[in-house]
Amino acid sequence: MTKLSSTQIAWRAAQDIADGAYVNLGIGFPEMVAKFQPPGRQAIFHTENGILGFGEAPAAGAEDWDLINAGKKAVTLKPGTAFFHHADSFAMVRGGHLDVAILGAYQVAQNGDLANWSTGPKGVPAVGGAMDLVHGAKRVAVITEHVTKDGKPKLLDACTLPLTGVGCVTRVYTSLAVVDIQDGHFVLREKLPQISLDELQSLTGATLHLDGAVADLIVPEL
Amino acid sequence: MDKTLPDLAAAVAGIEDGMTVMIGGFGGSGAPIELIHALIDRFRATGHPKDLTVVNNNAGNGHVGLAALIEQGMVRKLICSFPRSADPRVFTELYLAGKIELELVPQGTLAERIRAGGAGIPAFYTPTSYGTDLAKGKPVEEFDGRPYVRERWLKADVALIKAETGDTLGNLTYRMAARNFAPLMAMAAARTVVQVSHLVAPGGIDPEAVITPGIFVQGVVEVPHPAQEEDLNRANAVYPEVAQ
């Protein structure tokens, strides 16, 4: 089946970030979004461990381990970088100062509930800053495969995995579509032109509502 | 007046069985490796302290620093947000065997609980964790139409932190993102002991540049060129080193 790669999903999410926006990218896959800012726009990236306005990863061997992101990966300084302690960092998060948080997901429900921190009671639980990020950023977006590795829907009527936050997600960028969450419903905004609406609905665990025309989801080869 | 301590052994004296110890650092950045290792040395020499409750963002990485402290069996309970790392085997094995207790706290709530502990605020309300498993059993109240979860302050008997430059009065500056939890922990502990990479006389730090004022610090020990956890782990270091 035709679908977007992770890199392409990240590219699509990056197109909606305004110039000058303060942005937190979840650890792992969402970190890729930073690479695809449209020309002429520059977001300011926030990391939970106390840096605003950091730059890209350094060359191998040039790492400074006091200069890392929330994923414990080395980053670099840029003109205008600021450091602060953890309480200030999360004041930025919960206080409504971030414009966008882009996070990964195990499941998203049509009411905006997000499950992205635990796959159940087995193993060692770990939450990090995920539960804080979903409350406070002006816009909480998710980037994800449309279905799980074994083909089950990740967009559902209700999450079955432990929740990260209630009613917090407003937009989902998937490998097949762009879906908004409005008034407790999934509203389809864009889909890959190669896939029919019926096919997309069959891969989605709740009704996809329409609100005007559905645009083609067009992403460059990356 | 002079808060300088003669050596690392003096810095970790007075930490007793059952105490709550906050340890600075986010992963390796800001981790006071030398203070932690001095505490391990004391335990190996005397059998104390043990049954510690440790507060840190993580649960250690590899076999040095916090992971080594846990591996020695000195830690009864860990309060943290993210007990995973590149090499989390030490904590993972003890946890799955039921030999160490875990209190999992969202990262921003952990920071704010520590800040509140240092600021004399016994409880506060946060939107974080509302409706999730981590809010179970906690009071919820609605403010302006939104639900919030009540969280309690977090205090400690001792904080062990790392700073870049400290003066003999305990005024501190930090190095880049190594700051993270340290200024909060310094406030929240009855006794805060700091390893500084550079020790200077009063006046050696521009007052405008002080991040942690000396009122929050009880002891300062100079450790020039401190070890960095990531470097130790890349060299597969183990503490204490196994005798050849």
Side-chain angles (χ1 to χ4, degrees), chain A residues 26-205:
Chain A
I27 67 176
F29 164 29
E31 290 174 43
M32 274 200 280
V33 172
K35 290 186 193 162
F36 299 114
Q37 293 183 80
R41 290 192 224 163
Q42 197 161 37
I44 298 162
F45 293 102
H46 166 271
T47 182
E48 290 94 313
N49 54 310
I51 318 177
L52 260 183
F54 57 89
E56 291 169 7
E63 299 93 347
D64 183 323
W65 297 112
D66 285 340
L67 190 57
I68 59 173
N69 65 15
K72 318 272 185 341
K73 294 197 191 86
V75 295
T76 47
L77 294 171
K78 281 191 352 184
T81 298
F83 296 119
F84 37 86
H85 62 59
H86 248 84
D88 280 354
S89 183
F90 281 89
M92 294 173 196
V93 171
R94 291 181 310 255
H97 307 285
L98 291 176
D99 294 294
V100 192
I102 298 180
L103 308 171
Y106 297 136
Q107 298 176 333
V108 183
Q110 59 186 347
N111 66 349
D113 287 1
L114 173 66
N116 79 347
W117 74 281
S118 168
T119 52
K122 279 187 185 167
V124 178
V127 66
M131 285 192 185
D132 303 281
L133 281 166
V134 297
H135 295 288
K138 290 175 189 137
R139 196 160 75 77
V140 176
V142 156
I143 56 176
T144 178
E145 291 290 321
H146 200 87
V147 296
T148 63
K149 286 198 178 74
D150 49 359
K152 295 201 177 76
K154 296 182 80 165
L155 278 61
L156 302 169
D157 54 355
C159 293
T160 58
L161 291 171
L163 293 184
T164 306
V166 174
C168 51
V169 177
T170 54
R171 175 163 268 206
V172 187
Y173 303 93
T174 80
S175 46
L176 303 177
V178 176
V179 176
D180 279 343
I181 291 169
Q182 274 176 270
D183 305 323
H185 303 296
F186 289 129
V187 178
L188 181 62
R189 296 295 175 194
E190 301 174 18
K191 69 168 184 62
L192 288 181
Q194 300 91 327
I195 187 170
S196 73
L197 189 54
D198 284 349
E199 251 181 299
L200 187 66
Q201 181 60 71
S202 73
L203 298 168
T204 307

Side-chain angles (χ1 to χ4, degrees), chain A residues 48-49 64-66 70 72 83-87 90 94 117 124-129 131-132 135 162-164 166, chain B residues 26-27 29 58 81-84 104 107-109 126-128 130 132 175-181 184 228 231 234:
Chain A
E48 290 94 313
N49 54 310
D64 183 323
W65 297 112
D66 285 340
K72 318 272 185 341
F83 296 119
F84 37 86
H85 62 59
H86 248 84
F90 281 89
R94 291 181 310 255
W117 74 281
V124 178
V127 66
M131 285 192 185
D132 303 281
H135 295 288
L163 293 184
T164 306
V166 174
Chain B
F26 181 89
S29 68
N58 303 100
S81 86
F82 203 77
R84 289 192 200 141
L104 191 70
Q107 199 173 126
T109 299
T126 175
T128 303
Y130 172 74
T132 76
R175 184 167 182 273
M176 301 199 281
R179 184 182 310 184
N180 55 69
F181 285 90
L184 313 173
Q228 200 74 347
D231 292 332
R234 279 165 189 241

Side-chain angles (χ1 to χ4, degrees), chain B residues 5-85:
Chain B
L5 298 164
D7 53 32
L8 286 161
V12 298
I15 301 178
E16 293 165 15
D17 291 1
M19 279 188 166
T20 296
V21 182
M22 290 179 175
I23 298 180
F26 181 89
S29 68
I33 297 291
E34 285 76 8
L35 282 173
I36 298 169
H37 289 179
L39 196 58
I40 291 172
D41 292 347
R42 211 185 114 209
F43 174 75
R44 287 173 65 81
T46 68
H48 305 283
K50 55 182 165 48
D51 295 327
L52 299 173
T53 293
V54 169
V55 182
N56 181 269
N57 186 63
N58 303 100
N61 188 9
H63 300 273
V64 296
L66 177 55
L69 192 78
I70 294 168
E71 194 163 31
Q72 291 292 320
M74 299 168 67
V75 181
R76 183 180 62 79
K77 178 181 177 181
L78 192 70
I79 302 176
C80 81
S81 86
F82 203 77
R84 289 192 200 141
S85 64

